[in-house]
Amino acid sequence: MDRGTLPQAVALLLAICSLSPTNLAETVHCDLQPVDSEVTYITSQVTNGCVAQVTNAALEVHILFLEFSKAPPQRLEDSAVASETILPPRRSTEVSTLDLTLQTSRQNGTRPREVLLILSVSKNVFLKFQAPGVPVRLAYNPNLVFFQEPPGVNTTQLPPFTTKSQLLKWADTEGPIASAAELNEPKSILLRLDQALREPSSCSLEAHKDMGHTLEWSPHTQASVRGCRLEGVAGHKEAYILRVLPGPESWPRTVTVKVELSCASGDPEAVLILQGPPYVSWLIDANHTMQIWTTGKYSFKIFPEGNISGYDLPDTTQGLLEEAQRLNASVVASFVELPLASFVSLRARSCGSELRPSPTPVQTIPPREGCNQELLLSLIQPKCSDDVMTLVLKKDLISTLRCTIMNLTFWDSSCKAEDRDDQLVLRSTYSKCGMKVTENVVSNEVVVNFLSSSSPQRKKVQCINMDSLSLQLGLYLSPHFLQTSNSIELGQQGFVQVSVSPSIPELTIQLDSCQLNLGPDMEIVELIQSQAAKSSCVSLMSPSPGGDMRFSFLLRGHMVPMPTTGILSCTVALRPRTWSLEVHRTVSMRLNIVSPGLHDKGLVLPAVLGITFGAFLIGALLTAALWYIYLHTRHPSKREPVVAVAAPASSESSSTNHSIGSTQSTPCSTSSMA
């Protein structure tokens, strides 16, 4: 070969080599199809949302717009109305379930502030609600939200709104908005109430917002999982590919990836390919040994401190399929693309080189088997007013639970439910339909005949006359609870008793919250919240023999400014044993706050002044009386010598004084000196 042509040949060879990946990409044939694997995830990204830093407020507001729909959610840019209008409730054959948890951390002994949580939902929801240790008030539509168990918090009915702007304006009048989020098809939500740092002071909804630490949620709908066989590659190696898409904010975070493979024998020949933005690191938890191929850094759950550097990987579907082929994978067992998540779980029902196609269509919610009678009976809750008991069952809920009701009556079968458009209504006055009336309780029995059951189902229902209940609040200064007091000293321990009369066995009574308001210039002293003591200075005590609720608290000894009065108030939760609706009643009393200054010595200022004046008056009168006695009891003959003795020389005077002093000590010494 001519030397002049050698460089050209080398350049041509390098060009061919540089084009080899493109040529390889053209040879990758992979028809991605749904496969029988399950991927769930937890993310902090929402359709619309905002987070604000709220300071110096006694209450903070959090808002959740929850959309439940079988139709795919609209994107914000598709319709301006979609982002603003609150969709009307849909009549659906499915009822969504939601786990909602509020969480707060206690730092430096500070108490969490009160929270108003607003739920705006588009259809019927069965809600499992938890807020341990959080003083929360829940605002929602009781016609759409049903609790799986009593929430144990204060609740209020949400006014009807047609737009998000109306709801946001109303919420702003209740208190500063700390967070708001719009979610589609949520399955579980974790809302953290810790103060958000480096956030603005006001909350303004942003599209595709990353809520960060404040909110994490998982959707009902599972992620789309696809797979394929890579043609032209021999062997049985599998590739599991997860691509995490970039989020709106690029701050460092760790994605936990849990991989569960159902392998009949031994570890599979497999590679796990994880691709994400450069600010993402990975924490891997796998039940089988796999080859790991990631961007960024990764570590294993069993060795979380051992960070291993990853590789540069393509950020396209085609590029990741090429990477799997380059790693000698013959099968892409799963390929998933997800929004930026904090946790991802991949479960493959089989392992090996055979792909298991997903059933078509993919069913994300298994059908209910027959009528759920127990759940339907739990929805029968009486409403009591004006000496009338009313029970309402919505037809769409009956249909959702796959039930057919043949008959709905009271114990007296002649009192039947009325069919009113979209609901069944059973009502009666307290004097009819077999009502049992006692002094404070009206009870009956509801009989439901289901098509699927040969025998009727029965449920006891009650109305309790809450207006007849009286609450008493008493402060005592000893644990014996003998004598009430309306005064307490700073630094003193107080004992509180809350009584409800008359006693009704059908009513469950719990002390929900107590607080001490020391005036506008002082912070409210939270004593009990959510039926739990708020600090080590508060102790819940055993009830009295009559069932009265008791607790003790220690009032701080030093306060600036020094309070003189306070309002002690307690809220009691009243719930009938046969249904879940709670009624809250509050009772208050005024307290005098006494300074520990002079009171520590047993005397206060008025007493000291009184004693001083009395002592002065007694002393003056006693002196006058003694002088009067002295003037009227002296012998007249001794008046002259007394005057004459005052003039002698100093030596005589000294001798006389000495003689008098000796006479006072001992009479014998006076006789000898004479």
Side-chain angles (χ1 to χ4, degrees):
M1 180 182 291
D2 190 287
R3 287 190 176 183
T5 62
L6 183 59
Q8 297 178 1
V10 172
L12 180 61
L13 181 61
L14 291 174
I16 293 173
C17 292
S18 66
L19 292 175
S20 60
T22 303
N23 294 337
L24 179 62
E26 293 176 355
T27 62
V28 173
H29 298 286
C30 177
D31 183 18
L32 290 171
Q33 297 293 329
V35 295
D36 192 18
S37 295
E38 177 183 327
V39 172
T40 57
Y41 62 95
I42 298 173
T43 181
S44 56
Q45 292 195 60
V46 299
T47 307
N48 295 287
C50 62
V51 179
Q53 186 174 4
V54 175
T55 57
N56 301 325
L59 178 141
E60 62 184 54
V61 180
H62 297 265
I63 308 172
L64 295 176
F65 298 100
L66 307 179
E67 176 66 26
F68 297 94
S69 170
K70 286 296 186 69
Q74 282 185 293
R75 299 190 321 181
L76 184 70
E77 57 266 29
D78 291 340
S79 171
V81 177
S83 65
E84 169 61 18
T85 304
I86 297 178
L87 298 179
R90 290 183 172 85
R91 297 181 65 179
S92 169
T93 58
E94 294 292 342
V95 175
S96 297
T97 59
L98 174 64
D99 287 352
L100 175 57
T101 302
L102 269 61
Q103 189 179 89
T104 185
S105 62
R106 300 182 180 181
Q107 298 179 354
N108 301 326
T110 59
R111 309 270 75 81
R113 62 168 59 121
E114 185 180 353
V115 173
L116 171 61
L117 177 61
I118 301 173
L119 299 182
S120 173
V121 301
S122 62
K123 61 173 288 188
N124 297 321
V125 177
F126 284 111
L127 179 63
K128 182 179 180 182
F129 181 73
Q130 301 178 79
V134 179
V136 61
R137 179 162 58 96
L138 196 60
Y140 66 99
N141 183 349
N143 295 322
L144 296 177
V145 179
F146 304 92
F147 293 96
Q148 295 185 5
E149 54 189 38
V153 299
N154 294 330
T155 60
T156 185
Q157 183 167 341
L158 184 67
F161 299 108
T162 57
T163 66
K164 294 184 178 68
S165 297
Q166 292 176 351
L167 192 151
L168 289 169
K169 287 181 180 178
W170 174 80
D172 195 47
T173 63
E174 296 292 312
I177 300 175
S179 75
E182 180 181 344
L183 309 176
N184 289 319
E185 300 289 345
K187 180 181 180 182
S188 65
I189 301 174
L190 174 61
L191 180 61
R192 296 185 178 93
L193 304 176
D194 305 329
Q195 280 297 303
L197 302 177
R198 300 185 300 275
E199 294 289 350
S201 58
S202 61
C203 209
S204 180
L205 290 177
E206 303 174 24
H208 310 297
K209 171 68 175 177
D210 190 331
M211 303 291 286
H213 176 77
T214 300
L215 185 145
E216 290 185 328
W217 69 288
S218 62
H220 263 293
T221 53
Q222 297 178 10
S224 173
V225 186
R226 298 175 294 166
C228 65
R229 180 173 293 279
L230 295 170
E231 298 181 5
V233 181
H236 302 284
K237 191 174 185 178
E238 298 178 342
Y240 296 86
I241 304 175
L242 169 63
R243 183 187 176 204
V244 173
L245 303 176
E249 300 180 17
S250 56
W251 43 272
R253 66 191 75 196
T254 299
V255 178
T256 300
V257 180
K258 184 175 182 178
V259 182
E260 295 181 87
L261 306 181
S262 300
C263 300
S265 59
D267 292 325
E269 187 180 2
V271 58
L272 178 63
I273 301 176
L274 305 176
Q275 191 275 330
Y279 48 82
V280 167
S281 58
W282 313 88
L283 180 63
I284 301 172
D285 180 13
N287 65 343
H288 285 281
T289 302
M290 308 174 71
Q291 182 183 1
I292 306 299
W293 210 250
T294 77
T295 54
K297 293 185 177 182
Y298 67 94
S299 60
F300 295 96
K301 187 176 181 180
I302 56 175
F303 302 114
E305 303 300 327
N307 288 326
I308 305 172
S309 297
Y311 310 92
D312 291 329
L313 298 179
D315 58 358
T316 63
T317 300
Q318 184 66 21
L320 291 173
L321 294 176
E322 292 173 13
E323 197 71 22
Q325 188 182 53
R326 192 180 67 81
L327 294 170
N328 297 321
S330 60
V331 170
V332 176
S334 70
F335 182 92
V336 185
E337 288 184 329
L338 297 176
L340 192 57
S342 60
F343 178 84
V344 179
S345 172
L346 168 63
R347 298 180 61 187
R349 304 183 187 280
S350 65
C351 118
S353 58
E354 294 297 326
L355 285 176
R356 294 184 60 184
S358 174
T360 305
V362 178
Q363 188 163 1
T364 58
I365 301 178
R368 300 185 187 273
E369 296 295 336
C371 171
N372 193 333
Q373 298 181 11
E374 182 179 355
L375 185 54
L376 183 70
L377 290 174
S378 70
L379 298 177
I380 300 178
Q381 305 289 354
K383 295 181 179 179
C384 311
S385 62
D386 301 326
D387 293 339
V388 174
M389 180 186 293
T390 305
L391 301 101
V392 177
L393 267 180
K394 300 180 71 174
K395 290 182 180 179
D396 56 353
L397 288 178
I398 299 173
S399 175
T400 295
L401 300 177
R402 299 180 178 271
C403 296
T404 302
I405 294 180
M406 304 299 296
N407 205 10
L408 177 64
T409 71
F410 279 118
W411 178 84
D412 183 349
S413 59
S414 64
C415 299
K416 299 181 180 181
E418 300 176 13
D419 192 338
R420 297 183 183 177
D421 297 331
D422 61 343
Q423 58 189 13
L424 299 176
V425 179
L426 181 63
R427 68 191 304 270
S428 171
T429 62
Y430 292 169
S431 60
K432 298 180 180 179
C433 299
M435 297 284 181
K436 295 181 180 180
V437 182
T438 61
E439 184 178 0
N440 298 294
V441 180
V442 178
S443 59
N444 206 322
E445 192 174 60
V446 175
V447 183
V448 187
N449 288 279
F450 293 99
L451 179 63
S452 58
S453 177
S454 58
S455 59
Q457 299 295 315
R458 301 175 182 271
K459 178 180 179 177
K460 292 183 179 180
V461 290
Q462 293 176 334
C463 285
I464 298 179
N465 183 11
M466 299 291 186
D467 295 334
S468 67
L469 296 177
S470 174
L471 272 66
Q472 296 85 34
L473 180 63
L475 173 70
Y476 300 79
L477 301 182
S478 77
H480 303 294
F481 294 91
L482 298 177
Q483 180 65 42
T484 59
S485 173
N486 61 356
S487 299
I488 188 171
E489 180 186 336
L490 292 179
Q492 189 174 20
Q493 188 173 21
F495 300 86
V496 180
Q497 178 172 283
V498 183
S499 308
V500 179
S501 61
S503 177
I504 302 177
E506 294 84 359
L507 198 62
T508 299
I509 303 173
Q510 292 178 315
L511 186 58
D512 185 72
S513 63
C514 285
Q515 64 180 21
L516 181 59
N517 189 341
L518 297 175
D521 297 331
M522 305 288 291
E523 290 187 2
I524 293 178
V525 181
E526 299 289 351
L527 303 174
I528 297 175
Q529 276 290 359
S530 300
Q531 303 172 16
K534 294 299 291 180
S535 73
S536 58
C537 296
V538 181
S539 299
L540 296 177
M541 304 176 67
S542 300
S544 71
D548 299 329
M549 297 157 287
R550 291 174 169 179
F551 72 94
S552 67
F553 69 95
L554 183 64
L555 193 60
R556 255 188 333 181
H558 302 283
M559 295 186 185
V560 178
M562 214 281 291
T564 57
T565 61
I567 302 295
L568 175 64
S569 59
C570 289
T571 299
V572 176
L574 310 169
R575 182 166 63 89
R577 299 183 187 275
T578 57
W579 49 300
S580 60
L581 182 63
E582 283 188 343
V583 176
H584 291 82
R585 294 286 182 85
T586 301
V587 59
S588 303
M589 68 174 295
R590 185 181 181 87
L591 297 180
N592 295 319
I593 310 298
V594 180
S595 169
L598 293 173
H599 195 67
D600 287 342
K601 301 175 183 178
L603 297 175
V604 292
L605 185 59
V608 172
L609 293 176
I611 293 173
T612 303
F613 178 75
F616 171 77
L617 185 60
I618 292 172
L621 292 175
L622 183 60
T623 303
L626 291 175
W627 180 251
Y628 178 83
I629 294 171
Y630 172 73
L631 291 178
H632 290 78
T633 57
R634 284 190 307 165
H635 197 278
S637 62
K638 293 186 178 181
R639 291 182 184 177
E640 298 255 347
V642 171
V643 176
V645 172
S650 59
S651 58
E652 294 177 356
S653 174
S654 176
S655 175
T656 305
N657 289 339
H658 177 74
S659 175
I660 295 172
S662 300
T663 304
Q664 291 177 345
S665 299
T666 56
C668 298
S669 63
T670 304
S671 174
S672 63
M673 288 188 71

